[in-house]
Amino acid sequence: MALGKYSRVDNRRHNSSYCSTVTVVVFVGLCLVGAWMMTSSSVVPGQNVDVPAQENKNEVKQQVTESNEINTTESNEINTKQFEDNPGDLPEDATKGDTSMPEEKPEEKPDEKPEGKPEEKPEEKPVEKTEEKSNEETKSDDGSDTETQNGVNNTEDVDAKTNDGETNTEDGGTKADDSDGNAAGQGDSEENSTGKKPDTDETETKSDENAGEDKDRETGNDQLDEKVDQKDDKDSDKSSDGQANNQSSGELLPSGAQSELSNETSTQSGSWSTQAAESKNEKETQQSSNQQKGYNWKLCNVTAGPDFIPCLDNLQAIRSLQSTKHYEHRERHCPEEPPTCLVLLPEGYKRPIEWPTSREKIWYHNVPHTQLAQYKGHQNWVKVTGEFLTFPGGGTQFQHGALHYIDFLNESVPGIAWGKRTRVILDVGCGVASFGGYLFDRDVLAMSFAPKDEHEAQIQFALERGIPAISAVMGTKRLPYPGRVFDAVHCARCRVPWHIEGGKLLLELNRVLRPGGFFVWSATPVYQKLAEDVEIWQAMTELTKAMCWELVSINKDKLNGVGVATYRKPASNECYEKRSKQEPPLCEASDDPNAAWNVPLQACMHKVPVGSLERGSQWPEQWPARLDKAPYWMLSSQVGVYGKPAPEDFTADYEHWKRVVSNSYLNGIGLNWSSVRNAMDMRSVYGGFAAALKELNVWVMNVVTADSPDTLPIIYERGLFGIYHDWCESFNTYPRSYDLLHADHLFSKVKKRCNLAAVFAEVDRILRPEGKLIVRDKVEIINELENMARSMKWEVSMTFSKDKEGLLCVQKSMWRPKESETINYAIA
């Protein structure tokens, strides 16, 4: 300490016999004090404002006054509006608790020092305090994502993070440090905050309520919109928000569909966190800061340009194929390392036109392709009309409109019963998907697919119109769907050679078609008498008979001048057993019809399930009753994904998502649902999120990841649709396909196997500019994703956290990086 430096001066002051000597010493001392003051005046202004001259309080009163003003201002800001510019700060009570100890030190130290004497070197102690203060701030920041049990602070955290806007983005990494540290320090701050607020009893009571919610999701309430609405007035709504935060936290942040937030940690640390936690938080904060600074996004320099689909545009892999006879060049060929670059926007890109107007017209510059209009314009597929591409609703087999054609099919085969018995269909070779687009008017969902580039941008047209579709081909592998899930399959001039190679491709349709379901075939062999058509018709007749498919009807649509043949798959094994020739053969008993991820095609048929409790032995209930009820084949003896008996698991999951959607998503996160048409649940379980949106003009692509429990058959059984996928690879869709992506605990699982930056780049690829991403995950994942989103100039609409769970809602911007990165495998 500097105190020892002047101890000799103090000792000499007691010896009266040396007055003259003392006088000289005092004079010299005063000179030194003056020199010291001049030196300190030049040093102090250069120091951090967070380090007022607390040690020099008696020497420089002006500096003390300024320091007190600064501290008072900071204290007021903490008490009234804790996180105005830094959404990573602690809640109010946690902030007070952590800063209470350092604030007492300046009041004690001056009493220990002799007045009027300099006690230290100005260059040393203030710097030390700067470091200490910095660490204290870091510790405060580290805990913010774990909300206290007092809901007022939770609400203010949400509001602050909602409104932080550009401030944190311009701070050059400050926000990154805060948010990443939040994940690590969360447990400590929650424990600390429990004992710091004056209303501790109320807090403990609410903690007990939360613990009860952990055991049963059904205890949620309807006040979540108050908690997460970033537009609410903070001062007027504090009390109601506080109640909402604690009672509804389970609705906002489930760690699983049947469990709410994790229980409070039983051990309490009072006002002090542990050194291990503090050190860990600081290291993770620094690592997060370095990580954010390391994000250097670049544009993908590829031949496909703004239409780049990594797994379908791997030109290097396609060039190395030995054969393309079975459309191998249209299948997936994913690169070993997924790209981390961003796909550029088409020049003149605009926000897509909203549904239902988008079904008839889209912006030309969003999908600037005219070849299809020239090639198929006479069939009313698509036309160029000024700055729009228009879709008259026609197709090759229904030039006079899809609705007439749809009704014609129902009249030909009343058993189809659109929107009742037939709810989910597969449309093969869909073109621009007008058939699927108008089936919405009949309450039918169509999973439409076609190869990329066979007809220029046909799937991209469909998605831009707001019609579900993917880029896929019937080639050498099974389609990414379970067995026995589609109520009907439709092919209108789909250009698939069903009859060749033992009917391997038609047998794939047999795998995915529900027993008793219809295959609707509208093609020239049905009604034309050209030699080739006659030959194909004879081959199809033999094949369908051998497959035991019943030819239900052959009818001709006089308005469109086309014929349609409708077949029905058998609902029992009786025909299979009576066949004199076992061709096509039955599949081995060990062959799983639900195995579909990168599984080669086989020319065999699976037996029809006959047990009363086997899936496929009964037709689902009519729509919409099938949406709400657990399938008959989900048994109480089975354990659901979340640990309850399967039917209870299903019901609880549905009730949970209905509450989350109604209490939070529809009102509380600032999402304009009129602008949402194409949505995706990136990690669906039972389809509860999609089912909860049934009243909106929204369709949801339910993705069941390849490493998750196979619940996709349940999703189809309830009248919804979806697909298998591995998010370590790109999805089979064009860039800018979806208005909304929803990810419930996806990224924490994917991170164990994949490059998270590449996954987020894929999210950026398939999400439309101004589209929203909603993530529910662990706090540390939320922080990491928030950093990535900010580095892409996305708007962070809202973040929320409690215990170790978090919610993030971000909006993609139009921003694209200036630099580019050449992807060699995607260059022609």
Side-chain angles (χ1 to χ4, degrees):
M1 293 290 294
L3 184 63
K5 180 177 181 180
Y6 299 96
S7 59
R8 289 178 298 176
V9 177
D10 297 333
N11 293 334
R12 292 175 182 178
R13 184 182 301 175
H14 300 295
N15 193 339
S16 58
S17 63
Y18 297 99
C19 293
S20 60
T21 304
V22 169
T23 302
V24 173
V25 171
V26 169
F27 178 79
V28 173
L30 291 174
C31 292
L32 291 174
V33 169
W36 177 84
M37 292 179 64
M38 293 180 64
T39 304
S40 64
S41 65
S42 63
V43 172
V44 171
Q47 296 176 353
N48 193 317
V49 294
D50 289 333
V51 193
Q54 298 173 355
E55 307 285 350
N56 306 324
K57 181 175 180 181
N58 298 322
E59 288 79 10
V60 190
K61 294 183 179 180
Q62 182 177 358
Q63 294 179 10
V64 172
T65 303
E66 293 174 351
S67 300
N68 291 336
E69 291 175 353
I70 292 172
N71 290 333
T72 301
T73 302
E74 293 176 348
S75 176
N76 290 338
E77 290 175 352
I78 290 172
N79 292 333
T80 60
K81 201 171 185 180
Q82 293 96 324
F83 321 116
E84 182 65 24
D85 292 322
N86 190 348
D89 287 341
L90 280 172
E92 180 178 4
D93 51 345
T95 304
K96 289 182 178 178
D98 284 351
T99 56
S100 61
M101 296 302 294
E103 286 175 354
E104 294 173 358
K105 294 179 181 178
E107 298 175 2
E108 298 172 359
K109 288 186 177 181
D111 296 338
E112 301 172 1
K113 303 171 188 176
E115 293 184 6
K117 293 183 181 290
E119 298 291 334
E120 58 184 355
K121 295 182 179 179
E123 296 83 3
E124 296 176 0
K125 201 61 179 180
V127 172
E128 181 180 344
K129 289 301 292 182
T130 301
E131 296 173 352
E132 293 175 2
K133 182 67 176 178
S134 249
N135 291 336
E136 291 164 11
E137 289 176 348
T138 302
K139 286 182 278 186
S140 297
D141 293 341
D142 285 343
S144 67
D145 278 320
T146 298
E147 305 298 318
T148 67
Q149 282 74 34
N150 189 311
V152 175
N153 292 326
N154 290 342
T155 304
E156 292 176 347
D157 187 14
V158 172
D159 289 336
K161 284 204 172 189
T162 301
N163 298 323
D164 64 353
E166 300 176 356
T167 303
N168 287 320
T169 304
E170 295 172 357
D171 285 345
T174 301
K175 173 61 189 166
D177 297 347
D178 295 342
S179 59
D180 218 44
N182 292 344
Q186 177 230 354
D188 291 333
S189 68
E190 174 137 357
E191 293 171 0
N192 295 343
S193 62
T194 304
K196 295 168 194 171
K197 294 292 288 183
D199 52 350
T200 303
D201 295 336
E202 180 183 354
T203 299
E204 292 174 353
T205 301
K206 293 183 178 180
S207 298
D208 294 337
E209 294 174 1
N210 277 335
E213 289 176 350
D214 293 340
K215 299 179 181 178
D216 191 353
R217 167 172 287 124
E218 283 91 358
T219 59
N221 61 42
D222 297 334
Q223 298 182 13
L224 191 58
D225 54 330
E226 293 182 83
K227 173 174 60 177
V228 297
D229 191 353
Q230 66 272 28
K231 297 181 181 179
D232 285 348
D233 181 80
K234 298 179 184 178
D235 296 330
S236 63
D237 292 337
K238 279 185 178 181
S239 59
S240 62
D241 286 354
Q243 181 181 2
N245 270 327
N246 289 280
Q247 293 179 346
S248 300
S249 60
E251 308 310 325
L252 185 66
L253 300 169
S255 59
Q258 303 309 331
S259 60
E260 304 294 347
L261 299 178
S262 57
N263 290 324
E264 301 293 334
T265 304
S266 57
T267 302
Q268 297 296 318
S269 302
S271 298
W272 301 276
S273 61
T274 65
Q275 177 59 219
E278 293 171 354
S279 301
K280 180 182 177 182
N281 295 343
E282 174 60 19
K283 287 185 286 186
E284 292 185 357
T285 298
Q286 294 176 4
Q287 182 180 4
S288 172
S289 176
N290 295 334
Q291 185 180 40
Q292 183 179 11
K293 294 176 182 177
Y295 294 136
N296 183 23
W297 305 106
K298 298 180 180 179
L299 282 177
C300 299
N301 179 21
V302 293
T303 299
D307 300 334
F308 181 45
I309 305 176
C311 288
L312 298 183
D313 290 319
N314 188 346
L315 303 181
Q316 183 178 0
I318 292 173
R319 286 192 292 265
S320 64
L321 292 173
Q322 297 182 353
S323 171
T324 58
K325 178 181 178 182
H326 298 99
Y327 287 86
E328 291 89 345
H329 58 302
R330 303 301 184 199
E331 293 183 321
R332 291 171 61 84
H333 301 282
C334 298
E336 293 184 4
E337 295 293 334
T340 56
C341 55
L342 309 183
V343 177
L344 58 84
L345 297 177
E347 186 176 354
Y349 181 86
K350 299 180 181 180
R351 179 178 176 177
I353 296 173
E354 294 181 1
W355 181 269
T357 306
S358 61
R359 186 167 60 179
E360 279 73 45
K361 66 179 182 179
I362 63 175
W363 295 112
Y364 164 75
H365 287 291
N366 287 13
V367 191
H369 300 292
T370 59
Q371 181 179 337
L372 193 60
Q374 299 169 2
Y375 182 58
K376 290 289 187 178
H378 67 287
Q379 296 176 349
N380 287 331
W381 278 37
V382 57
K383 298 179 181 293
V384 180
T385 308
E387 60 179 346
F388 301 102
L389 291 169
T390 57
F391 300 86
T396 303
Q397 297 298 95
F398 41 91
Q399 298 181 24
H400 296 283
L403 274 178
H404 165 80
Y405 175 75
I406 290 168
D407 292 339
F408 162 74
L409 296 179
N410 201 79
E411 293 169 2
S412 300
V413 184
I416 290 179
W418 296 126
K420 295 179 180 179
R421 183 182 188 272
T422 300
R423 163 63 179 174
V424 186
I425 77 160
L426 181 68
D427 188 17
V428 183
C430 61
V432 295
S434 289
F435 180 68
Y438 284 91
L439 275 173
F440 281 109
D441 292 356
R442 300 295 181 263
D443 240 356
V444 176
L445 279 179
M447 173 70 75
S448 303
F449 77 91
K452 184 182 181 184
D453 294 336
E454 280 300 298
H455 285 139
E456 185 187 41
Q458 53 187 336
I459 295 300
Q460 194 173 16
F461 283 134
L463 290 162
E464 186 71 17
R465 297 173 68 189
I467 303 171
I470 65 166
S471 292
V473 66
M474 300 199 70
T476 66
K477 297 178 182 178
R478 287 180 175 178
L479 295 171
Y481 313 114
R484 307 186 296 267
V485 292
F486 290 104
D487 303 332
V489 178
H490 174 257
C491 162
R493 292 285 288 274
C494 56
R495 301 172 62 190
V496 178
W498 301 116
H499 60 289
I500 67 171
E501 298 184 350
K504 181 181 291 187
L505 299 181
L506 194 62
L507 290 169
E508 173 62 3
L509 293 190
N510 186 77
R511 180 184 72 85
V512 301
L513 183 60
R514 194 181 298 277
F518 294 102
F519 173 57
V520 180
W521 188 36
S522 175
T524 55
V526 177
Y527 58 92
Q528 289 186 359
K529 301 302 180 182
L530 299 176
E532 182 181 6
D533 291 325
V534 171
E535 181 181 349
I536 293 174
W537 174 254
Q538 291 176 348
M540 280 290 288
T541 300
E542 295 175 5
L543 176 60
T544 53
K545 185 177 181 180
M547 292 172 59
C548 295
W549 281 14
E550 175 190 0
L551 179 59
V552 177
S553 72
I554 301 177
N555 288 283
K556 188 169 184 178
D557 179 2
K558 296 180 179 179
L559 178 63
N560 289 304
V562 300
V564 179
T566 304
Y567 301 87
R568 180 164 52 202
K569 177 181 175 178
S572 71
N573 294 313
E574 182 180 357
C575 176
Y576 294 153
E577 296 168 354
K578 291 182 178 180
R579 291 187 305 165
S580 58
K581 186 178 180 180
Q582 294 297 312
E583 289 292 339
L586 294 176
C587 298
E588 297 290 336
S590 60
D591 191 301
D592 185 358
N594 296 321
W597 185 246
N598 293 326
V599 176
L601 287 179
Q602 289 187 342
C604 66
M605 296 183 299
H606 296 89
K607 282 189 174 183
V608 175
V610 293
S612 61
L613 297 179
E614 289 186 79
R615 182 174 69 85
S617 62
Q618 302 178 33
W619 196 266
E621 293 197 42
Q622 289 193 351
W623 178 263
R626 64 194 281 186
L627 178 71
D628 302 329
K629 297 181 179 179
Y632 65 89
W633 42 268
M634 291 185 72
L635 308 179
S636 297
S637 59
Q638 298 172 326
V639 179
V641 173
Y642 303 109
K644 291 185 178 181
E648 295 180 31
D649 225 32
F650 174 93
T651 302
D653 175 79
Y654 185 31
E655 293 301 320
H656 161 69
W657 285 112
K658 285 195 293 185
R659 290 195 302 270
V660 170
V661 168
S662 62
N663 296 344
S664 175
Y665 289 179
L666 292 183
N667 302 306
I669 60 176
L671 183 59
N672 178 16
W673 284 94
S674 66
S675 65
V676 177
R677 172 62 181 171
N678 305 356
M680 176 187 286
D681 193 353
M682 298 179 69
R683 183 181 171 268
S684 184
V685 179
Y686 297 125
F689 169 70
L693 299 176
K694 64 181 180 180
E695 301 300 330
L696 303 181
N697 282 325
V698 176
W699 60 266
V700 179
M701 181 69 73
N702 292 282
V703 177
V704 172
T705 57
D707 61 343
S708 297
D710 186 8
T711 55
L712 193 53
I714 300 172
I715 292 172
Y716 275 92
E717 194 80 5
R718 64 191 306 185
L720 306 172
F721 63 8
I723 192 171
Y724 295 119
H725 184 60
D726 182 354
W727 285 111
C728 293
E729 304 173 357
S730 71
F731 193 76
N732 271 20
T733 192
Y734 279 85
R736 306 169 301 280
S737 294
Y738 288 88
D739 303 300
L740 174 66
L741 299 179
H742 181 260
D744 181 23
H745 290 79
L746 167 72
F747 293 97
S748 56
K749 297 181 181 297
V750 168
K751 188 177 181 180
K752 299 175 182 178
R753 303 184 298 112
C754 321
N755 179 358
L756 198 60
V759 179
F760 202 78
E762 175 66 4
V763 167
D764 176 87
R765 190 185 70 85
I766 67 178
L767 186 63
R768 288 172 170 172
E770 299 185 9
K772 289 287 186 84
L773 167 67
I774 302 175
V775 181
R776 310 167 76 90
D777 219 309
K778 298 177 181 179
V779 168
E780 58 267 25
I781 294 295
I782 294 295
N783 294 332
E784 189 171 355
L785 296 178
E786 182 180 349
N787 291 338
M788 289 186 186
R790 290 185 184 278
S791 68
M792 289 184 181
K793 314 301 182 187
W794 289 20
E795 177 186 347
V796 179
S797 303
M798 193 267 292
T799 58
F800 180 87
S801 62
K802 179 171 176 59
D803 296 335
K804 297 181 180 180
E805 296 293 312
L807 173 70
L808 173 69
C809 181
V810 290
Q811 183 177 38
K812 178 180 173 180
S813 68
M814 290 278 188
W815 176 83
R816 295 291 87 178
K818 301 295 184 182
E819 299 181 56
S820 63
E821 174 186 356
T822 299
I823 308 299
N824 293 325
Y825 61 79
I827 298 296

